[in-house]
Amino acid sequence: MMKLFTLKSLLLLSFVALLSSCGETTTTASSKETKKPSLKKVFEADFLMGAAINDGHINGTDTIALKLIQKEYNTITPENIMKWMYIHPQPDSFYFEMADKYVALGEKNNMHIVGHTLVWHSQIADWMQEVKDSVAMAKYLEKHINTIVGRYKGKINTWDVVNEALNEDGSYRNSIFYQVMGERYLELAFQLAAAADPEASLVYNDYNLWKPKKRAGVIRLIKKLQSKGIKIDGIGMQAHYSLVGPEIKDIENSIKAYAALGMKVMMTELDVTTLPNPWDLEGAEVSQNYEKFEGDPTMNPYPQGLPDSIQVKLAQRYEDLFSLYLRHRDDITRLTFWGVNDGQSWLNGWPIKNRTNYPLFFDRNFSAKPVYERIMALKK
Ligand code: 9MR
């Protein structure tokens, strides 16, 4: 009964009411399709369910993927097309064609639309790397955020405002932004985003946020912004995990710590690698690449398909994660997978290129893997 009156439940009820008032469901697929169970329906009372999508999905050329996205998900994130180098390639020019299509796709399907990402040191435009003066950098940040957030005001519901600004020990990453402006760049980015769209939910997004030292860094950041009256609504825990780590209790401690500061928590880039990781790499540091192992069969043991024994481990790992997420459903608002099917996952190329990985719920033919039923069964 109490549950009915949580803010989350009220929001969900209004969301459902809005959908019914539009006279349509969140999918445009045939009515037969809409009757089938889906992740978004099964977890409707718990979280938004989503995936990161790319060009073929947005253009509609990848028709099978698009159908699957419409059936299974009620939120989308652009995997690459809104990153600085694509959307703001020159100081005075923006490229909005793909972003416009992405937002139109989300609107057409009544989806919760995520913007990813306004300020990130990676995939930044070359010209921005050359800006060495703090006044000029602040101006460019202002132009970048005002133009992009302003264009999609009222349409993009959640923004990953700053991405991966912390080192593993919780200190600030020595990015181009930090070198030139110090930590003020984070404050400015959140201030600008809040001013450009006061209704949008504003998120700090990073990997390995379960690590105690990194968690402490996020807590310092949240408190700092809050003490200055700067709006921050949520923490995006990317959730690039393996079959064995991190431990559930570490993830749980972070969820609790962020929620205790009034943050909504989102699992923004969920996937579980199934391949050998001899260096015990954690997270998603894109600069890590082990070229010399490219083509080494011991590093790519399942080129023809995932053995049943590993399917079982994958399903168990996701079950442990989803059980945790369900326990914290009042604080977690969204679960977004980083990709649509195994063949499209970035984990086929990181940290060794050209491997065959199986980190998601759907295989290379878009068929649901055993993990799908196992997770749906959690709600039966
Ligand atoms: O999945 C994205 C991949 O296609 C890009 O090549 C890569 C480039 O940096 O970025 C990947 O997405 C990253 C996301 O934007 C931020 N968190 C880590 C993700 C995986 O690297």
Side-chain angles (χ1 to χ4, degrees):
M1 198 54 191
M2 282 296 291
K3 192 93 187 158
L4 274 179
F5 295 97
T6 63
L7 180 59
K8 180 173 185 169
S9 304
L10 287 174
L11 285 174
L12 271 167
L13 283 174
S14 357
F15 184 57
V16 171
L18 182 70
L19 293 185
S20 359
S21 71
C22 298
E24 55 187 354
T25 64
T26 51
T27 171
T28 57
S30 71
S31 56
K32 198 170 143 218
E33 279 290 304
T34 57
K35 286 199 187 98
K36 287 192 191 152
S38 63
L39 290 163
K40 71 179 174 194
K41 278 191 247 162
V42 166
F43 291 99
E44 190 168 31
D46 307 302
F47 337 96
L48 292 163
M49 294 294 305
I53 66 172
N54 60 43
D55 296 51
H57 312 134
I58 297 167
N59 280 326
T61 49
D62 195 345
T63 47
I64 306 178
L66 183 56
K67 259 182 114 172
L68 186 144
I69 293 163
Q70 288 168 325
K71 172 179 175 274
E72 298 290 342
Y73 301 120
N74 49 21
T75 173
I76 46 175
T77 301
E79 185 169 355
N80 285 303
I81 55 123
M82 294 193 97
K83 290 173 182 172
W84 196 309
M85 65 186 283
Y86 300 119
I87 203 163
H88 191 175
Q90 296 298 330
D92 296 316
S93 69
F94 289 83
Y95 172 75
F96 286 122
E97 196 179 320
M98 286 306 288
D100 285 355
K101 283 187 189 170
Y102 163 75
V103 170
L105 176 72
E107 286 193 303
K108 184 174 161 215
N109 291 284
N110 292 315
M111 288 165 159
H112 180 102
I113 306 174
V114 180
H116 174 85
T117 168
L118 292 169
V119 182
W120 188 27
H121 62 278
S122 182
Q123 286 178 301
I124 191 175
D126 290 345
W127 63 268
M128 193 61 193
Q129 303 266 24
E130 303 307 318
V131 179
K132 301 284 185 248
D133 162 71
S134 67
V135 176
M137 182 171 275
K139 280 212 164 109
Y140 284 126
L141 276 175
E142 188 175 340
K143 183 169 190 171
H144 184 75
I145 294 174
N146 285 353
T147 307
I148 301 170
V149 178
R151 184 178 183 93
Y152 301 114
K153 183 178 177 185
K155 297 181 172 187
I156 288 197
N157 308 91
T158 295
W159 277 103
D160 289 342
V161 179
V162 177
N163 197 41
E164 299 171 13
L166 295 174
N167 292 316
E168 298 306 273
D169 66 359
S171 60
Y172 284 110
R173 185 193 280 269
N174 198 24
S175 68
I176 183 74
F177 301 107
Y178 188 76
Q179 285 167 29
V180 176
M181 290 183 68
E183 61 191 274
R184 199 166 66 79
Y185 88 87
L186 286 121
E187 297 166 13
L188 182 63
F190 276 90
Q191 277 170 324
L192 289 167
D197 187 351
E199 299 301 317
S201 167
L202 305 183
V203 170
Y204 174 71
N205 192 52
D206 208 334
Y207 57 81
N208 288 346
L209 293 195
W210 54 271
K211 283 189 172 175
K213 285 186 177 162
K214 211 162 178 179
R215 179 193 306 144
V218 175
I219 290 170
R220 279 195 295 276
L221 171 63
I222 299 168
K223 286 187 172 166
K224 176 144 226 171
L225 293 176
Q226 288 177 334
S227 73
K228 295 192 168 190
I230 300 172
K231 179 173 140 83
I232 173 168
D233 300 293
I235 299 300
M237 299 180 69
Q238 290 187 6
H240 295 293
Y241 297 150
S242 82
L243 289 171
V244 291
E247 286 185 32
I248 295 294
K249 72 168 170 26
D250 285 326
I251 306 172
E252 182 157 36
N253 286 339
S254 286
I255 296 170
K256 285 183 184 165
Y258 304 145
L261 292 172
M263 293 295 101
K264 283 298 169 197
V265 181
M266 296 122 217
M267 302 301 149
T268 51
E269 304 186 14
L270 187 52
D271 51 29
V272 173
T273 181
T274 58
L275 295 184
N277 181 18
W279 315 276
D280 293 329
L281 294 184
E282 288 160 333
E285 177 52 56
V286 284
S287 60
Q288 290 166 329
N289 210 306
Y290 289 73
E291 271 173 30
K292 65 177 174 182
F293 291 102
E294 224 180 303
D296 179 343
T298 59
M299 293 295 160
N300 189 26
Y302 319 122
Q304 306 304 336
L306 194 62
D308 289 349
S309 60
I310 313 289
Q311 291 278 17
V312 169
K313 283 188 182 162
L314 184 72
Q316 183 61 54
R317 179 70 169 142
Y318 268 116
E319 184 176 310
D320 295 345
L321 290 168
F322 270 69
S323 302
L324 167 73
Y325 299 154
L326 285 167
R327 284 205 296 284
H328 293 279
R329 58 194 282 273
D330 283 344
D331 297 314
I332 299 175
T333 53
R334 170 167 61 92
L335 307 183
T336 295
F337 292 96
W338 205 242
V340 176
N341 83 7
D342 284 343
Q344 298 171 338
S345 164
W346 75 291
L347 285 171
N348 295 297
W350 183 90
I352 304 172
K353 293 202 182 95
N354 296 320
R355 296 199 295 176
T356 309
N357 211 334
Y358 304 85
L360 299 169
F361 277 26
F362 299 96
D363 69 17
R364 285 167 168 73
N365 297 316
F366 299 98
S367 299
K369 290 153 65 180
V371 59
Y372 179 88
E373 284 308 325
R374 179 91 172 258
I375 295 307
M376 301 283 258
L378 288 175
K379 293 291 293 180
K380 279 185 184 150

